[in-house]
Amino acid sequence: MHDYLTLLIRAALITMALAAAPVRAVCLPTAQPVYVGNTATDSQCDYDSIQAAISAAVCPETIVVTNERNYGPQHLLIAGKSLSLVGSSGACGMVVHASGTSAAGAAPVRLPLTGNDNVDQAVVTITGNSHVTLANFSISGARDISYTTNNGGGIVFLNYGSLTLDNVEVWNSYAGNGGGVAMLANGGHADLVIGTNTVIHDNIAQFSGGGIYLSGDVHMLMVQDQSAVYGNIARGKDAGNNDVGGYGGGIYLAGGRADIGSPGLSGCTFSVCPPQGAAIANNQATSGGGIAVFSDGIRDGVATAFTTVPSRPTTLSGNSGTFNAGAVYANSAYAQGHRVAICLFETNILGNQAPVSAVGLIEAAALYVNTDPSGVCAATSLPALGATDCDDSAQCNTMAFNQDTAVAGDELLRLDNSDLVADRFALRENQAAFAIITLSNEPHAMRISNCLVSDNQFKASAIYVDDGIFNIDGCTFAGNTLVGNRFFTLYADAGSSTTLNLTRSIAQGDADDKTALYVGPSALHADYNLLSDLSSVSGGTANFSADPDFVDTAHGDYHLAYYASSQPYSPAIDYAPASGSQIDLDGHTRNFDMAGIPNQYGPRDLGAYELHRACAAADTLFCDGFELPLHF
């Protein structure tokens, strides 16, 4: 059986040979790696210094760096090379498991590569047309930490080519942008692959991109297990300590694309998610604590998160924005004509916070959840990257425990002149003044469907719409604490109007909770809804007030009951006319006609869930979707 290092070397040689073939048609990879170690005591070592081995490399080559010597502060330059740099705890000439064991799946020991805090250079600088793999290194301690405008603390990649990080730690580094890693594509396309057991943590950017800074024609791929970006900071301060930038504590992307599907580091549960349990966790920025996305003025900017391990959904957890947007921030206002989007598929957003927009702020951009109406998310290509549905027990598609920290209270999610198209998501156990605020002075797609908004604390209302048309279909609002007196607030500026279309939904609250408050020329169109208050919906079709009969509200189960004790079944079952081919929050098909229950207006159930089998507090197996088929 080949060990880890042997496989890594062979894969790197093949990859580099293919990458280099167009420009080095007669150059073949060397049959054996070259070794860096102590040439005075080990005759099988080829070089004493890492830089000497890099400079001598001509063909695609693997350089094994042993721990036979202390190499001192490193500021390595890889210019126009195709090579694999591999750390090893073995001696020169020995291809052994770097950890000294043969245990299957054990990650090799990372060899330290440290910079110099008094020298304003990255630990590793890559330029030209380079295709580089770094494996088994712990990279830290770069640049003068007093102040710098230079990019990339641990690693900076300029120009074009590819960089793969495998079992690499980048930490405790500092830069102007990209405290941990900076990739600035120039002259061509650049790929950044965050491989298995790669963590980028506790780095600081003076401006933006605390962990990773990406700019230009870049594609970042992060789908392997046990990889995470956490504990990084984007300060957003200039030399005079004035506020500048400060975007993307974890990841900053301007142009290009980032595909994030890592389940993070193991050990995360739904209700308690430590920083090491999420893919993007406990990062901090002025705006966009977790991820910030822009256009570079030439290309769209798109960040997509999706799940690859069904039992461990990809998660953004514990990130914070000191000004706004604790989890995600997107803005294309400064690059008209280019799309900027954040796309979430089977993803959790947990425990993020900010004074404004604890979940996210979207400005002249788009947020898509489990849908890709414009094609910008490239959702059809995600299964090839390993995207899949998450297990029902994993409770994915959830935004929970997020909190706005403003004294007066603000919102969880704010969209200014932006698209919001979100399907199959739960917004629960959050604290804010509002759940969602939209402000639009031009037409935008704004619709949510098959959603659950429950057990939140709102100081004002759940939905606030300022101009435009907002559509809600098949959602359940229940168990929320509202200090204000309405679920939905509609506001219109002079010369404009606001419309809320509410269909096939349940809005359940206290007797004093009003369905809508109108300010300015506004309209509520409500059809086929179960509402606790009907005072604002006169003229709608088939709206009624009743007890929805949920399965178990005390434990947050808002499925519709079938054999409930208070009556034979929930009045929301088989109530509305059939609607298009949709699936509910559990992944069940809609429009299921329950046998033995007369249809009121059709087979469609109201709210977030479509009942397919008998559900009651004593029989919740099929209420909770354990029979859920794959539907990604």
Side-chain angles (χ1 to χ4, degrees):
M1 179 181 293
H2 294 287
D3 56 42
Y4 177 92
L5 190 55
T6 301
L7 294 175
L8 179 62
I9 290 171
R10 291 188 176 184
L13 291 173
I14 293 170
T15 300
M16 289 186 296
L18 293 174
V23 295
R24 297 188 178 99
V26 297
C27 187
L28 298 176
T30 56
Q32 297 294 329
V34 297
Y35 289 87
V36 178
N38 191 338
T39 58
T41 60
D42 188 341
S43 62
Q44 296 193 73
C45 296
D46 300 291
Y47 299 94
D48 280 313
S49 82
I50 304 172
Q51 186 61 62
I54 292 171
S55 299
V58 177
C59 294
E61 196 160 50
T62 294
I63 301 170
V64 177
V65 182
T66 73
N67 64 351
E68 290 187 352
R69 59 183 299 127
N70 181 359
Y71 302 99
Q74 298 292 317
H75 299 289
L76 304 176
L77 174 62
I78 303 173
K81 304 278 187 178
S82 291
L83 57 83
S84 181
L85 200 63
V86 182
S88 172
S89 60
C92 290
M94 297 179 61
V95 181
V96 298
H97 194 286
S99 66
T101 72
S102 58
V109 173
R110 299 184 183 111
L111 189 70
L113 284 183
T114 60
N116 187 335
D117 289 342
N118 297 316
V119 177
D120 198 8
Q121 296 179 24
V123 179
V124 181
T125 298
I126 305 170
T127 65
N129 178 13
S130 293
H131 298 270
V132 177
T133 294
L134 299 178
N136 309 340
F137 290 107
S138 177
I139 299 172
S140 66
R143 297 201 186 281
D144 182 349
I145 62 173
S146 60
Y147 183 80
T148 182
T149 60
N150 289 317
N151 299 312
I155 304 170
V156 58
F157 189 108
L158 306 171
N159 304 128
Y160 57 101
S162 64
L163 171 63
T164 298
L165 303 179
D166 195 338
N167 189 40
V168 170
E169 176 186 34
V170 184
W171 65 291
N172 193 31
S173 292
Y174 174 87
N177 293 300
V181 179
M183 176 171 273
L184 294 85
N186 182 24
H189 177 77
D191 289 305
L192 174 63
V193 179
I194 307 296
T196 305
N197 298 310
T198 295
V199 289
I200 299 172
H201 68 95
D202 296 295
N203 302 286
I204 297 174
Q206 189 67 37
F207 308 125
S208 295
I212 300 174
Y213 182 92
L214 305 168
S215 177
D217 185 8
V218 172
H219 179 213
M220 187 191 91
L221 183 63
M222 178 179 168
V223 298
Q224 298 301 318
D225 198 0
Q226 302 302 319
S227 295
V229 178
Y230 66 91
N232 303 285
I233 298 173
R235 284 178 174 168
K237 299 291 185 180
D238 65 11
N241 205 38
N242 301 302
D243 292 334
V244 291
Y247 298 104
I251 300 172
Y252 172 97
L253 173 67
R257 182 180 186 88
D259 287 314
I260 303 166
S262 171
L265 307 185
S266 57
C268 180
T269 63
F270 176 73
S271 59
V272 180
C273 194
Q276 63 268 30
I280 311 295
N282 279 34
N283 302 288
Q284 179 182 307
T286 304
S287 299
I291 302 172
V293 184
F294 299 82
S295 166
D296 64 352
I298 301 173
R299 282 161 286 269
D300 298 340
V302 181
T304 301
F306 50 90
T307 284
T308 56
V309 177
S311 62
R312 295 163 56 203
T314 295
T315 299
L316 281 71
S317 174
N319 302 288
S320 61
T322 57
F323 179 59
N324 59 33
V328 297
Y329 177 79
N331 189 315
S332 70
Y334 305 108
Q336 297 296 326
H338 296 284
R339 298 179 297 178
V340 171
I342 292 176
C343 308
L344 306 175
F345 296 90
E346 305 285 302
T347 299
N348 283 338
I349 310 291
L350 307 177
N352 303 280
Q353 62 179 356
V356 180
S357 309
V359 170
L361 173 61
I362 314 297
E363 297 183 305
L367 174 64
Y368 298 132
V369 179
N370 291 320
T371 186
D372 188 10
S374 69
V376 68
C377 304
T380 56
S381 67
L382 297 182
L385 301 179
T388 186
D389 297 327
C390 46
D391 289 344
D392 210 62
S393 59
Q395 300 188 60
C396 62
N397 298 312
T398 298
M399 302 178 186
F401 317 122
N402 301 287
Q403 182 179 13
D404 81 69
T405 57
V407 174
D410 223 305
E411 67 278 341
L412 294 174
L413 180 62
R414 181 185 182 101
L415 298 105
D416 293 350
N417 293 311
S418 297
D419 288 352
L420 169 64
V421 184
D423 183 55
R424 295 188 300 108
F425 70 95
L427 192 70
R428 56 194 310 169
E429 299 183 69
N430 302 282
Q431 295 183 25
F434 303 89
I436 301 173
I437 288 182
T438 68
L439 301 95
S440 298
N441 53 27
E442 56 189 61
H444 287 281
M446 295 185 293
R447 59 182 181 272
I448 60 176
S449 57
N450 301 299
C451 66
L452 173 66
V453 180
S454 69
D455 302 301
N456 302 283
Q457 296 183 29
F458 298 135
K459 296 179 182 178
S461 60
I463 309 293
Y464 181 101
V465 185
D466 184 346
D467 296 340
I469 300 173
F470 195 96
N471 298 295
I472 302 174
D473 181 69
C475 289
T476 297
F477 298 82
N480 301 291
T481 300
L482 289 153
V483 177
N485 65 348
R486 62 265 185 188
F487 281 104
F488 311 116
T489 299
L490 310 181
Y491 178 86
D493 295 314
S496 186
S497 64
T498 299
T499 300
L500 173 63
N501 296 315
L502 180 67
T503 55
R504 294 178 285 268
S505 295
I506 299 172
Q508 187 72 6
D510 299 332
D512 292 336
D513 291 334
K514 303 301 180 184
T515 302
L517 174 70
Y518 304 114
V519 179
S522 305
L524 170 66
H525 298 153
D527 299 303
Y528 305 105
N529 300 289
L530 191 164
L531 307 172
S532 59
D533 175 73
L534 297 172
S535 62
S536 299
V537 296
S538 57
T541 302
N543 299 295
F544 70 107
S545 182
D547 183 350
D549 269 353
F550 297 121
V551 169
D552 187 1
T553 58
H555 295 90
D557 189 342
Y558 292 94
H559 292 81
L560 302 176
Y562 184 32
Y563 293 124
S565 58
S566 58
Q567 63 181 46
Y569 51 83
S570 166
I573 298 173
D574 287 2
Y575 184 82
S579 59
S581 57
Q582 298 179 352
I583 55 177
D584 72 356
L585 184 53
D586 278 340
H588 296 143
T589 57
R590 284 293 196 178
N591 310 317
F592 185 84
D593 195 351
M594 282 289 292
I597 297 180
N599 296 344
Q600 294 295 318
Y601 299 93
R604 169 74 181 261
D605 295 349
L606 305 183
Y609 303 103
E610 185 81 13
L611 185 66
H612 276 230
R613 292 199 49 182
C615 286
D619 177 20
T620 59
L621 176 63
F622 292 101
C623 295
D624 293 334
F626 286 99
E627 75 282 24
L628 172 64
L630 293 179
H631 57 264
F632 188 85

